[in-house]
Amino acid sequence: MAVAVLPCRHRDKDAAFVALCKSLRVTDPVCDRAWTLWKAVQESMDDVTVCICHEHCSALNNISLCSVTQFMSVVRKLDVNLDTISTKVTSALTRLEKKYEVMLALYQRFEKERETLRTCWTMFLLAKGRALQMEDDLVISFQLLLCTLELFIKRCSPELLQPLYKSAISKVQSPPTRISRRNQSKAKPRAPDPEVDVQLLETLCKENECNAEEVKNVYHTSFTAFLDSMDLSRSWDFPQVDQQYEEHYLKSRDIDGRLFFDGDETVFAPKVQISQVERTPKKNPSDEEGSLVPPQTPIRAAMTSIQMLRGDLTSTGDQPSTTLATYFKQCTVDPTQDVRKRLEAHGQAFSQRFGQAVGPHCVVYGRERFSLGVRKYYQVMEAMLKSEEKRLSVQNFSKLLNDSTFHTSLLACALEVVMAAYGAADRDVCFPWILDVFDLAAFDFYKVIESFIKADPTLSKNIIKHLETCENLIMERIAWRTGSPLFELLKQEHEGGAAEQVETPASFSQPLQHNHTAADLYLSPMHPGVRASPPESPATPATPATPSSQASFQASSQASSQASSQAASLTPRLPKSNSLSLFYKKLYRLAYTRLKTLCSYLLSPHPELEPIIWTLFQHTLQHEYELMRDRHLDQLMMSAMYAICKVKSVDLRFKTIVTSYKNMSNTSQETFKHVLITDGHYDSIIVFYNQVFMQKLKTNILQYASTRVRPGFGLILRHQRNSFGPI
């Protein structure tokens, strides 16, 4: 498609803007001034939003004239329609939105305790702000709320309490004596009890389906430290709490949590939404009497998830079971001591990094979650080994159980399950945080995910979905980071002529059938030269040419002996990797599904283009895999779509592709605004297409041209870039 060339004076402007000025017959100076004003408006929109989300500004509640949810919605629509919000602002807004959702959920639960006071809520807000570095951890925040309630309930006069809590207060801790008004001015306030009322706290935990031991830890670490810092031991009315929260709020400058207690409409979602989510009871179809079940609120969902996890691990200890210990002893080299030392080192790293992310007093919570992760790790490992024993009729798993990467990956997966059960959605501790903690390659971690799910039938649908999402993130970007073992494996296989052949798109609609277990994936490939394989017939589809699963567990010397005896009659070649073969089979399915979705948005009038785009896309992944280094799968997908449409003379602009891409699930504007160009330099996907993708694949793209295309066919001219919007 021919593109009008703009005068040199207007090369920096959007082509549509210049066309508008031309149609209005404005002079060049007026056109320049109008463009300068428009750019200033765009920049100010970013500045205003950044001010709202960061500390050097007025607070959100003082700026927003509408509700918080309406404000968030407006900014999101602004980004979609005008494409003017930077990735920095989007990140800050996402964090603010998460913090708001946590605070709203907590208040809606707190609101049901009718006898509590404003001071109690304010103290909780202050405790959360000071004790937690990561305030959007819903579970720990809720546990802090229960600690605050315990403090206030045991200080209330008995007549103010509901019978349940009145009877729950320990007899040894008598409530404050009621003082007559005549003597009230002469009486001294009773100092608070220095120790937690265990009976009362356990009652609160039981009523709210919260683990009592975890809440006690929160009380003795974070909450007690907070009380000490406040010097509240001599004050009954806590007069300084509101003042100190005011100071904290003005410093943080985001959301004033006191407005929830005041019923301010700016911090609440529409009443219809609240009633539907929080207060509408639902009938239980299985109950013949039609009894009501509690609504599924965010807190109830989190508590249920934790209860399920803990219930499943009740019979599992912090040490290997007798069965697992037997598997260890049956190994040629007993891995018991290595397992213990590895867990000790990983436990220290995990709890300290958790404390750094969540708050200085939260290391102990990291230890708690690590302990649960260890139990899950032992439980799933035992199930895996039992399955392998049944499948292979062997009991000596020395090679697998002495593989450090297997153990670290299995432990990381167990901990990811624990973190997901606790609702760790904050970017500081969400996946792939666990990989950084253990310095574990994403490609190695992917090998255990599917087997982990199969070995643990107790996993909930939400946890399984979370692990599958982790696997997708690995395939689409994390495994392609510089330093990943994936690149070395690809290099070896291509040099050995063992590149994976592609299935037809028709097969992608069928479930992926394979019999590889985690053991196969961690023990493949073997070292070069260990095994020789016969060359495959060109007419035969490529299949993994690795040793049989049972042979994988034999000693390396035995495998070497077998290889030597075959070397005389077979042509040596590097064995194909089971882990790489399966990775690519899954990668192709993910890539094709995402491409098909984008094509349905944009190219429904041209169904013949989809298989052509896929052929180019697949060729890139298979033969030009270096283009994926430090990049995202979707960047290659959008570039392939644009290239084919260009050579097929279909009018499809990159701006249109990006606009539709935003409507796909699990996408981020950073994918098309922040693309690696070269040597640490990042720019928009248009620059990536011009300078990298098209230059690398020009010859391959041209073969799909329906008519003769002039040189530079796919180049997006510099002045066109502005039509894409600020990137």
Side-chain angles (χ1 to χ4, degrees):
M1 178 178 175
V3 178
V5 179
L6 297 179
C8 294
R9 181 186 183 107
H10 301 305
R11 286 286 176 85
D12 63 327
K13 302 178 181 66
D14 180 15
F17 179 85
V18 176
L20 175 62
C21 291
K22 186 177 180 180
S23 67
L24 296 175
R25 298 181 180 179
V26 300
T27 62
D28 285 344
V30 172
C31 180
D32 293 340
R33 177 59 179 162
W35 180 251
T36 301
L37 290 173
W38 168 238
K39 296 298 291 182
V41 168
Q42 288 181 319
E43 292 171 1
S44 66
M45 291 170 74
D46 255 11
D47 292 340
V48 169
T49 316
V50 168
C51 284
I52 290 170
C53 299
H54 292 277
E55 61 182 2
H56 303 295
C57 64
S58 298
L60 174 61
N61 297 112
N62 294 338
I63 289 181
S64 178
L65 300 179
C66 56
S67 73
V68 172
T69 51
Q70 288 173 324
F71 172 77
M72 300 285 188
S73 177
V74 167
V75 177
R76 297 293 189 201
K77 289 179 180 177
L78 211 61
D79 185 28
V80 170
N81 296 331
L82 299 181
D83 199 17
T84 56
I85 310 301
S86 71
T87 54
K88 182 179 180 181
V89 170
T90 300
S91 177
L93 191 67
T94 300
R95 178 175 281 260
L96 184 65
E97 194 171 18
K98 177 65 179 174
K99 182 177 177 180
Y100 164 76
E101 290 170 354
V102 167
M103 199 178 294
L104 175 62
L106 290 165
Y107 181 74
Q108 287 169 348
R109 192 59 175 255
F110 172 88
E111 185 185 26
K112 297 175 184 180
E113 304 294 340
R114 298 296 182 182
E115 309 305 330
T116 55
L117 304 173
R118 174 191 174 94
T119 306
C120 179
W121 174 248
T122 307
M123 177 176 277
F124 159 67
L125 294 174
L126 186 57
K128 185 167 72 78
R130 289 190 174 180
L132 299 184
Q133 184 172 310
M134 190 176 70
E135 292 188 58
D136 45 4
D137 189 300
L138 179 62
V139 174
I140 298 179
S141 296
F142 182 57
Q143 291 168 343
L144 265 178
L145 177 57
L146 294 183
C147 295
T148 312
L149 284 170
E150 184 273 345
L151 178 66
F152 273 77
I153 289 174
K154 71 185 179 185
R155 294 185 175 198
C156 285
S157 297
E159 60 267 24
L160 297 178
L161 299 176
Q162 295 178 11
L164 174 66
Y165 300 109
K166 186 186 299 185
S167 62
I169 297 177
S170 300
K171 302 300 180 183
V172 294
Q173 291 183 319
S174 57
T177 305
R178 189 172 182 178
I179 304 169
S180 65
R181 293 187 178 182
R182 181 180 299 177
N183 299 323
Q184 193 170 9
S185 60
K186 299 179 182 180
K188 295 181 179 180
R190 183 177 72 84
D193 303 306
E195 297 295 332
V196 58
D197 188 326
V198 176
Q199 183 175 325
L200 175 58
L201 193 62
E202 288 178 347
T203 301
L204 282 167
C205 292
K206 183 177 180 181
E207 283 297 297
N208 292 280
E209 302 172 329
C210 198
N211 182 270
E213 292 305 315
E214 289 187 357
V215 178
K216 289 175 188 176
N217 273 336
V218 171
Y219 199 105
H220 290 303
T221 53
S222 298
F223 193 62
T224 299
F226 161 71
L227 294 178
D228 290 343
S229 70
M230 290 285 291
D231 191 24
L232 299 174
S233 58
R234 295 186 177 86
S235 174
W236 159 242
D237 293 323
F238 307 120
Q240 71 273 46
V241 170
D242 197 73
Q243 178 184 349
Q244 293 201 29
Y245 179 73
E246 177 75 16
E247 294 172 358
H248 171 77
Y249 161 62
L250 292 175
K251 184 179 180 180
S252 63
R253 296 184 181 274
D254 45 27
I255 300 172
D256 187 348
R258 294 169 298 186
L259 296 179
F260 287 100
F261 193 90
D262 296 337
D264 193 295
E265 61 182 10
T266 63
V267 294
F268 283 105
K271 293 183 178 179
V272 174
Q273 293 183 19
I274 295 178
S275 63
Q276 288 176 347
V277 174
E278 295 289 335
R279 297 170 185 161
T280 303
K282 299 178 182 179
K283 288 187 176 181
N284 186 350
S286 62
D287 194 332
E288 295 179 359
E289 298 180 1
S291 62
L292 300 178
V293 295
Q296 186 75 336
T297 64
I299 290 178
R300 189 175 297 279
M303 295 303 108
T304 300
S305 179
I306 294 169
Q307 278 187 328
M308 290 177 61
L309 174 68
R310 285 185 165 274
D312 176 47
L313 297 175
T314 302
S315 60
T316 307
D318 295 331
Q319 299 296 325
S321 67
T322 303
T323 302
L324 191 56
T326 301
Y327 279 122
F328 288 174
K329 291 176 182 177
Q330 289 173 335
C331 292
T332 306
V333 178
D334 189 338
T336 304
Q337 291 303 315
D338 286 341
V339 168
R340 182 184 60 79
K341 292 178 182 178
R342 189 182 300 109
L343 287 177
E344 185 177 339
H346 286 332
Q348 273 189 328
F350 180 88
S351 56
Q352 290 193 1
R353 288 285 294 273
F354 185 89
Q356 290 172 10
V358 182
H361 299 290
C362 298
V363 172
V364 65
Y365 315 149
R367 294 195 192 103
E368 288 176 350
R369 298 187 188 183
F370 185 80
S371 178
L372 287 174
V374 169
R375 293 185 177 194
K376 177 64 71 174
Y377 158 77
Y378 282 141
Q379 181 192 60
V380 174
M381 190 195 309
E382 182 176 327
M384 283 183 175
L385 295 177
K386 285 180 178 178
S387 177
E388 289 296 291
E389 180 180 5
K390 183 178 180 180
R391 184 172 74 105
L392 305 173
S393 299
V394 296
Q395 295 178 327
N396 185 346
F397 299 102
S398 184
K399 196 169 184 183
L400 178 68
L401 292 179
N402 282 282
D403 188 315
S404 176
T405 304
F406 164 71
H407 283 285
T408 302
S409 301
L410 184 60
L411 176 63
C413 196
L415 286 166
E416 189 61 33
V417 167
V418 172
M419 297 295 281
Y422 275 80
D426 185 88
R427 64 180 179 179
D428 289 341
V429 294
C430 70
F431 190 79
W433 176 78
I434 191 65
L435 303 185
D436 296 330
V437 172
F438 292 160
D439 193 23
L440 178 65
F443 182 72
D444 289 325
F445 180 79
Y446 118 87
K447 300 174 188 177
V448 82
I449 295 175
E450 186 176 339
S451 291
F452 192 103
I453 293 173
K454 290 179 179 178
D456 189 354
T458 66
L459 295 178
S460 68
K461 291 182 180 179
N462 287 339
I463 297 296
I464 292 174
K465 183 178 180 181
H466 173 75
L467 292 178
E468 290 173 344
T469 299
C470 293
E471 186 177 64
N472 286 344
L473 287 173
I474 289 171
M475 290 189 291
E476 67 188 23
R477 62 180 177 87
I478 305 176
W480 300 99
R481 293 174 178 173
T482 294
S484 170
L486 175 60
F487 288 104
E488 182 60 30
L489 203 52
L490 280 165
K491 180 181 177 182
Q492 290 178 3
E493 296 247 325
H494 279 258
E495 288 176 350
E500 186 67 33
Q501 292 194 13
V502 188
E503 302 172 69
T504 60
S507 66
F508 293 159
S509 60
Q510 304 296 324
L512 179 59
Q513 300 293 333
H514 70 91
N515 59 358
H516 298 309
T517 64
D520 296 325
L521 303 184
Y522 283 102
L523 299 180
S524 169
M526 301 180 70
H527 295 294
V530 169
R531 177 180 171 84
S533 304
E536 294 176 3
S537 169
T540 305
T543 55
T546 54
S548 68
S549 298
Q550 185 168 356
S552 298
F553 295 107
Q554 309 304 318
S556 299
S557 58
Q558 184 178 355
S560 300
S561 175
Q562 293 173 352
S564 300
S565 64
Q566 296 175 0
S569 58
L570 300 177
T571 303
R573 65 173 287 186
L574 190 67
K576 189 174 295 181
S577 165
N578 286 333
S579 57
L580 183 61
S581 175
L582 183 58
F583 180 86
Y584 256 77
K585 288 178 187 295
K586 291 185 174 184
L587 175 68
Y588 287 146
R589 278 170 166 74
L590 176 64
Y592 184 73
T593 299
R594 296 186 70 74
L595 176 63
K596 195 171 183 66
T597 301
L598 192 58
C599 285
S600 69
Y601 292 161
L602 295 167
L603 297 174
S604 53
H606 303 280
E608 73 282 357
L609 294 185
E610 181 185 304
I612 302 174
I613 298 170
W614 167 246
T615 302
L616 175 62
F617 188 18
Q618 176 273 317
H619 168 85
T620 308
L621 293 173
Q622 184 178 20
H623 299 289
E624 304 294 345
Y625 55 84
E626 277 291 335
L627 285 176
M628 278 294 297
R629 186 182 292 273
D630 295 324
R631 297 191 179 99
H632 194 290
L633 180 70
D634 293 345
Q635 293 164 356
L636 271 62
M637 174 184 70
M638 289 186 278
S639 297
M641 176 176 282
Y642 182 84
I644 294 301
C645 287
K646 199 74 174 174
V647 297
K648 291 294 185 181
S649 301
V650 173
D651 185 14
L652 182 64
R653 297 174 180 267
F654 241 124
K655 183 176 182 179
T656 307
I657 294 175
V658 166
T659 301
S660 293
Y661 175 74
K662 291 178 182 178
N663 295 323
M664 294 176 60
S665 61
N666 303 317
T667 60
S668 167
Q669 64 173 344
E670 190 171 354
T671 304
F672 54 85
K673 288 187 173 184
H674 192 71
V675 189
L676 176 67
I677 307 303
T678 181
D679 298 330
H681 171 61
Y682 291 81
D683 212 311
S684 74
I685 192 169
I686 289 178
V687 176
F688 166 71
Y689 177 84
N690 280 338
Q691 297 184 10
V692 182
F693 187 87
M694 189 192 67
Q695 303 301 329
K696 188 72 173 178
L697 294 163
K698 184 183 299 183
T699 302
N700 193 272
I701 295 171
L702 280 173
Q703 70 179 346
Y704 300 108
S706 52
T707 56
R708 187 174 180 181
V709 181
R710 62 181 175 80
F713 69 95
L715 183 64
I716 304 173
L717 299 182
R718 182 180 178 185
H719 69 265
Q720 279 189 282
R721 180 183 173 193
N722 290 323
S723 66
F724 184 67
I727 301 179

